[in-house]
Amino acid sequence: MKAADLAAVTQRALVMFSDDDLVTMRHVVEMYEALPRAELAVVPGTSHFLTQEKPALVNALVLDFLTKEPVRTVAAIRRAQDPQAG
C-alpha cells in the first residue's frame, strides 16, 4: 500500500514499531500521518522482533488500544479536528 491509500482507512488504527528497525522512522511517521485516526507507539529498546523482545509492553499497548476508548488529550493538535476523537 502507498501512504496515500491509507487515507481511506477511517477506523482507529494503532501504528506500532520498534526504535531500531530496518523500517525507518520516516516511513513510520509517513504511515502514521497518512492514517487519519492513527495512534503511534514506538517501543523503545527493540528491533524488528519487538513482540518477542518486549512482549509484556507490546501486549499492554495492544490490549489498551483494543479495549479502551481513546482518552481526551489535554493539548491535542492532530486529533483536535477529529470529531470522532475522544
Side-chain angles (χ1 to χ4, degrees):
M1 289 182 95
K2 295 179 182 176
D5 298 328
L6 296 175
V9 177
T10 59
Q11 294 300 315
R12 204 171 143 228
L14 178 62
V15 177
M16 184 183 310
F17 285 90
S18 67
D19 66 353
D20 187 15
D21 200 334
L22 53 111
V23 177
T24 66
M25 281 295 161
R26 178 170 291 157
H27 181 73
V28 172
V29 170
E30 184 179 351
M31 288 179 58
Y32 166 70
E33 289 178 341
L35 288 158
R37 296 186 62 213
E39 297 174 28
L40 177 62
V42 179
V43 182
T46 61
S47 73
H48 193 71
F49 299 94
L50 65 160
T51 57
Q52 296 170 20
E53 296 162 348
K54 291 199 175 177
L57 179 54
V58 170
N59 287 342
L61 289 166
V62 171
L63 284 172
D64 181 78
F65 177 80
L66 292 174
T67 63
K68 296 180 183 169
E69 293 297 318
V71 298
R72 182 173 297 279
T73 53
V74 175
I77 296 170
R78 183 170 191 262
R79 286 180 285 275
Q81 304 303 318
D82 181 2
Q84 296 179 12

